[in-house]
Amino acid sequence: MRGIQFGEQPYLQEAGKVSSCAYSPDSKSLALGLSIGSLTVGFWSSRRDPLTNGIIRLYSTSSWELVRTFTGHRNAVNCIVFSPRGDRIMSCSSDNTARLWDVESGTCIRILSDHVDSVNSVAFSPLGDTVASASSDRTARVWDVETGECRLTLNSQNREFGSVVYSPMGDRIVLGERMSSVSSLVIRRCAVRVLDVDAGKSLHDLSGHGGSIWGVAYSPRGGRIASGSADSTVRIWDVESGACCRVLTDHGGEVHSVAFSFQGDMIVSAGEDKTVRIWDAESGTCHQIFTGHSRSVRCVVFSPRGDYIASGSDDETARLWDVGSGGTRQVTIGHSKKVLSVVYSPHGNQVVSCGDDGSIKFWDAESGVCRRTITSYLYSVASIAYPLRGDLVITGVFERRKMEQELLNLFGQCFIQYGTEGPIVFSYSLEGDQGASEDSDGWTRIGDVISSEHHYTLPDRSEKVIDIVNSPQGIYIASSNKLGTVNIRDIESGAQVCTLDGHSRFVKSVVYSPRGDWIASVGYIYDSSVKLWDVETGDCRRILIGHITWVCVVVFSPQGDQVASGCHYGQVKIWDVGTGERLFMFTGHTENVTSLTYSPKGDRIISGSDDKTFRLWDLSSGQCRAVVQELKSPIERIAWGTTSDATCFVTGCTDGSVCMWQVMEEGDTCQIHWRWRSISGELNLTDVTIQDVRGLSQVNKQLLKQRGALGEPFDRLREAGQTVLSTASVISALKQSSIGMVLEASSALSSVAEQSEQPESSGEQN
């Protein structure tokens, strides 16, 4: 039983693709629009009666029982909406019609048939007196609900309309354009059009999407618009200015549907990547990801109270998710792929992590809440570090398609990116005031967007960069490469200061000493040494030899007088920097040592390994004080807290989790306790049985059964029934003896049966 999502409810299995879903205003009903049939080579091939290709099912949200079925559409139902009072439903279909239904009786009140192509979306006005429709015939229409009269027709020259929504005040409608079969061959960009309903004129054309716009949504207060597109993004727009406020880029495919929560603080989106994602509407942070659909998700909607989400998919299911309300929405979701680096901020109040999913996350060190996420969706962020000033984060990224390593440096408000074909500078600003320019000769320069002033250019394109670190003072950058050298550059001018040359093959890792006067470097595979370099002269001062296989990680002590190294065979060695003498050798790990970190005082060290354990070593006694073995994935990175919180450290694992631990000592006993941990958002179990489980709700029972759990939970009525059957069997047997014995036994067993019907918690006597 794998992949149970926290908040997941039992799903509704349908007989066709679920293309639309809508909650009633009172949250008591959920309507689903279905496509009963299969689209084959551009033609609709029905599996059933052609008159029921598109149907609507209405469910009660209290019991999830089917209340009513609406039939009449001859093709797929593309969209359904409830009227503001909840007594009517408007639906539209690929059969070129929109239909108005009475919820109570299930009868079709009116058919709107002026469109000559598929009707893709409909929306009620806030008062419920008009309805808007968007069609593939390149028109959008506004209809009078009572008379069915078309009040307004809006035309497009070369775009179809794929989605429509009213503003909360009802004075505007928003239309999402999508490419027609002709225009898609010429240009792929589509706009979100904001129109004045009374004047029938366009107010804004919101441009930026690079493909069809499948879904649009208005915020409840009317200040923002969200749109989801075939370009795999969700964009948030300011209504008055028409400016794009945020671009949400985490989806791995076309975004088919977007919706605001009824409080306006959250946005939900769903699409081709089979996921449902919840975003913070203000910051754009992705708070939660629901996975469970096996095919593309076509529609998603919040319940009116904002505590549930319904989603419909091509996998012929509608899934229900409990997302809580208020503070319970704050979900600490980790990286979706392995964590490559973790680090404390200089003040110790936050932890920064980066991962193979291309994101950088900023965590509150006390609560473990993710406060901010920076996403580089094309790359895999590989390393991060703070210098002494605390305003610089160095990150490295891999280009996924070509597997070429790049390095990304956040300098104040500017990113610097190094490519495998040489240092290529790319500037990115969190505030939007920094930019990058690339000359015709292919060089890229850091510059200020406002003044257009270029700061510097890095000219060497032959270097194959592998790792990069910043000096503690934030003055120099040291980068290792495939040529076996370490290059040191001035971070302000980009000028090369010196080159450290001594490794026979490429340099896997490089690290500065705390004072910045030494650099330690390690090679790869055939190089089992650690080299110590004098930064000022560029000379190799020490070669530390002793590992029997290649070194995976190296780190300086806080005082800079020691170096710790971990190797492929699981050994950890401590070296004296001044003499090169080996001080300790720690054994216990059975696989690669992937991470090492000293305590702030330098008296202890923690080692993490691919063997899914980490160990705490005492450097005064040379003993292992504690071992944590309950990890479910290998350790990738470890970082110890600052001197103000010297008992805590943080780990990043290959499963994408970030975890905070605390060292607790009492006498000679040393224990490591878990403080907080990011979650993956799902539960994975094997051999699950719910036989005779007490207190299991009907909803959770149904969910566990759908996920393959065996057995039946405890049922008081069933147990009472079994007692009655057992009593009847005994009485039947006793009848064969004597009538007197039967009466006596019957009386006794009746007393037993009465006792079995008493409540279980019968500690008090009446």
Side-chain angles (χ1 to χ4, degrees):
M1 184 169 65
R2 298 186 61 81
I4 294 182
Q5 307 290 295
F6 292 105
E8 181 181 359
Q9 302 288 292
Y11 59 83
L12 303 174
Q13 183 65 56
E14 297 295 343
K17 299 177 181 179
V18 183
S19 52
S20 183
C21 53
Y23 273 98
S24 62
D26 59 6
S27 295
K28 293 183 178 180
S29 301
L30 177 71
L32 304 178
L34 308 180
S35 305
I36 309 295
S38 58
L39 192 63
T40 308
V41 199
F43 299 94
W44 188 264
S45 175
S46 175
R47 295 181 294 184
R48 298 172 182 244
D49 188 326
L51 294 180
T52 60
N53 272 335
I55 64 174
I56 301 167
R57 296 191 193 276
L58 187 67
Y59 289 89
S60 167
T61 57
S62 60
S63 63
W64 294 113
E65 294 181 353
L66 180 63
V67 176
R68 191 164 289 106
T69 299
F70 304 81
T71 60
H73 282 297
R74 296 173 177 264
N75 213 323
V77 176
N78 296 323
C79 182
I80 49 176
V81 288
F82 276 90
S83 64
R85 292 190 300 176
D87 58 339
R88 294 179 177 180
I89 288 176
M90 179 64 73
S91 64
C92 64
S93 169
S94 296
D95 64 5
N96 305 348
T97 69
R99 292 174 181 254
L100 183 66
W101 309 84
D102 181 78
V103 172
E104 186 65 29
S105 65
T107 58
C108 179
I109 301 173
R110 187 164 290 106
I111 300 176
L112 309 178
S113 56
D114 287 5
H115 286 292
V116 295
D117 205 337
S118 173
V119 185
N120 303 313
S121 181
V122 288
F124 270 105
S125 65
L127 296 178
D129 57 339
T130 61
V131 66
S133 60
S135 173
S136 294
D137 64 7
R138 302 183 185 179
T139 69
R141 297 174 184 267
V142 177
W143 312 80
D144 185 287
V145 171
E146 293 303 320
T147 66
E149 177 188 355
C150 180
R151 292 185 178 182
L152 178 66
T153 301
L154 304 168
N155 296 285
S156 174
Q157 294 296 322
N158 56 2
R159 286 288 184 270
E160 300 177 359
F161 291 122
S163 50
V164 63
V165 65
Y166 267 94
S167 66
M169 297 298 294
D171 57 337
R172 299 175 180 181
I173 61 171
V174 175
L175 294 164
E177 294 182 337
R178 73 181 195 184
M179 295 180 295
S180 64
S181 58
V182 176
S183 63
S184 61
L185 299 176
V186 181
I187 186 170
R188 303 182 65 85
R189 292 194 175 274
C190 294
V192 177
R193 297 181 60 182
V194 183
L195 300 107
D196 186 292
V197 176
D198 295 329
K201 65 178 183 179
S202 177
L203 300 176
H204 291 296
D205 281 350
L206 311 180
S207 299
H209 282 298
S212 296
I213 298 166
W214 298 116
V216 290
Y218 234 112
S219 66
R221 294 184 180 180
R224 294 285 189 268
I225 293 171
S227 56
S229 170
D231 64 6
S232 306
T233 69
V234 176
R235 289 178 177 261
I236 304 174
W237 311 85
D238 181 80
V239 173
E240 294 304 320
S241 66
C244 180
C245 305
R246 295 201 177 274
V247 182
L248 314 180
T249 59
D250 284 5
H251 275 289
E254 296 187 3
V255 180
H256 292 150
S257 182
V258 292
F260 276 94
S261 65
F262 280 71
Q263 295 81 9
D265 59 336
M266 294 288 178
I267 295 173
V268 63
S269 62
E272 195 175 34
D273 62 0
K274 310 172 190 176
T275 67
V276 175
R277 297 171 185 260
I278 302 176
W279 314 80
D280 186 285
E282 185 64 29
S283 67
T285 301
C286 182
H287 282 319
Q288 202 160 358
I289 304 173
F290 291 121
T291 58
H293 285 294
S294 59
R295 298 184 67 182
S296 178
V297 185
R298 293 292 174 182
C299 55
V300 66
V301 64
F302 271 104
S303 66
R305 289 194 299 267
D307 52 350
Y308 286 91
I309 285 174
S311 59
S313 169
D314 286 349
D315 64 7
E316 301 188 350
T317 67
R319 291 186 178 267
L320 311 164
W321 317 93
D322 183 350
V323 295
S325 59
T328 60
R329 292 185 189 167
Q330 190 74 286
V331 181
T332 307
I333 298 296
H335 294 273
S336 59
K337 295 183 180 180
K338 69 178 179 180
V339 177
L340 298 179
S341 186
V342 290
V343 64
Y344 270 89
S345 66
H347 300 295
N349 60 339
Q350 71 176 357
V351 173
V352 187
S353 64
C354 66
D356 210 19
D357 59 357
S359 69
I360 304 171
K361 291 180 178 288
F362 296 80
W363 311 84
D364 182 90
E366 182 65 26
S367 65
V369 172
C370 182
R371 297 299 186 189
R372 188 178 189 184
T373 299
I374 300 174
T375 302
S376 175
Y377 61 95
L378 292 178
Y379 304 100
S380 164
V381 184
S383 61
I384 48 179
Y386 275 100
L388 296 180
R389 292 179 301 177
D391 61 351
L392 181 69
V393 177
I394 298 176
T395 65
V397 302
F398 295 90
E399 184 175 341
R400 292 178 180 171
R401 293 182 179 178
K402 298 181 180 179
M403 296 301 292
E404 297 174 345
Q405 184 174 15
E406 297 177 345
L407 292 147
L408 187 66
N409 172 26
L410 176 56
F411 183 37
Q413 295 180 343
C414 181
F415 284 99
I416 304 173
Q417 178 176 295
Y418 285 78
T420 58
E421 297 303 320
I424 302 172
V425 182
F426 172 75
S427 175
Y428 174 78
S429 168
L430 298 180
E431 303 298 331
D433 57 353
Q434 298 283 341
S437 61
E438 182 170 328
D439 291 348
S440 58
D441 59 1
W443 303 119
T444 312
R445 294 179 170 85
I446 292 182
D448 187 281
V449 173
I450 300 175
S451 66
S452 298
E453 177 185 356
H454 290 124
H455 299 314
Y456 63 84
T457 302
L458 297 183
D460 185 6
R461 298 182 70 93
S462 62
E463 184 182 350
K464 312 287 185 178
V465 177
I466 295 176
D467 193 16
I468 187 171
V469 292
N470 192 77
S471 67
Q473 295 78 17
I475 300 174
Y476 301 111
I477 288 177
S479 59
S480 63
N481 56 59
K482 292 184 179 181
L483 304 178
T485 64
V486 177
N487 292 322
I488 301 176
R489 292 185 175 85
D490 185 279
I491 198 170
E492 292 293 335
S493 65
Q496 185 157 320
V497 177
C498 67
T499 298
L500 313 179
D501 191 353
H503 288 280
S504 58
R505 293 173 179 264
F506 59 86
V507 184
K508 182 178 184 291
S509 182
V510 60
V511 61
Y512 267 97
S513 65
R515 291 189 299 176
D517 54 343
W518 289 81
I519 281 180
S521 62
V522 297
Y524 188 59
I525 300 184
Y526 300 105
D527 191 346
S528 58
S529 67
V530 178
K531 289 182 169 56
L532 302 180
W533 308 82
D534 187 305
V535 173
E536 185 175 354
T537 64
D539 296 332
C540 181
R541 295 298 189 184
R542 300 278 185 274
I543 300 178
L544 310 179
I545 299 176
H547 285 290
I548 59 176
T549 183
W550 68 85
V551 181
C552 302
V553 61
V554 63
V555 62
F556 276 96
S557 66
Q559 295 77 21
D561 59 339
Q562 294 179 3
V563 165
S565 58
C567 75
H568 176 63
Y569 277 4
Q571 295 177 342
V572 176
K573 298 191 177 187
I574 312 298
W575 312 84
D576 186 283
V577 172
T579 64
E581 177 187 359
R582 191 190 76 188
L583 303 176
F584 295 103
M585 182 178 73
F586 301 134
T587 59
H589 289 297
T590 58
E591 295 186 34
N592 292 349
V593 177
T594 56
S595 185
L596 293 169
T597 183
Y598 275 90
S599 65
K601 294 182 179 180
D603 57 342
R604 297 180 179 183
I605 194 168
I606 295 178
S607 59
S609 170
D610 281 342
D611 63 7
K612 302 180 183 179
T613 70
F614 60 81
R615 295 171 177 263
L616 175 65
W617 310 90
D618 189 299
L619 294 181
S620 59
S621 65
Q623 300 298 313
C624 180
R625 295 298 310 277
V627 182
V628 175
Q629 297 177 307
E630 63 258 30
L631 303 174
K632 66 177 183 179
S633 64
I635 296 285
E636 190 69 25
R637 287 292 183 269
I638 304 177
W640 209 307
T642 59
T643 53
S644 61
D645 193 13
T647 62
C648 295
F649 62 93
V650 63
T651 60
C653 296
T654 57
D655 64 354
S657 63
V658 177
C659 188
M660 175 76 75
W661 307 84
Q662 186 167 18
V663 179
M664 307 289 289
E665 290 187 277
E666 190 172 336
D668 294 333
T669 304
C670 180
Q671 294 182 332
I672 298 177
H673 295 283
W674 171 73
R675 283 189 60 180
W676 56 258
R677 181 182 186 273
S678 65
I679 63 173
S680 62
E682 65 179 37
L683 181 66
N684 295 315
L685 301 171
T686 57
D687 300 328
V688 175
T689 177
I690 56 174
Q691 183 65 40
D692 295 329
V693 173
R694 297 172 183 265
L696 191 64
S697 69
Q698 189 65 25
V699 170
N700 284 330
K701 172 189 173 182
Q702 186 178 353
L703 173 61
L704 292 170
K705 283 285 192 178
Q706 287 178 343
R707 289 293 188 169
L710 303 176
E712 289 293 331
F714 174 80
D715 189 331
R716 183 177 302 278
L717 293 176
R718 185 187 68 193
E719 186 176 79
Q722 290 176 346
T723 302
V724 172
L725 289 175
S726 177
T727 302
S729 300
V730 173
I731 293 175
S732 177
L734 290 175
K735 280 183 178 180
Q736 299 177 6
S737 300
S738 66
I739 296 176
M741 292 177 63
V742 169
L743 293 175
E744 184 179 354
S746 178
S747 176
L749 288 171
S750 296
S751 176
V752 172
E754 289 175 359
Q755 292 178 6
S756 69
E757 293 178 357
Q758 296 296 321
E760 292 176 326
S761 55
S762 55
E764 299 181 358
Q765 295 182 354
N766 295 326

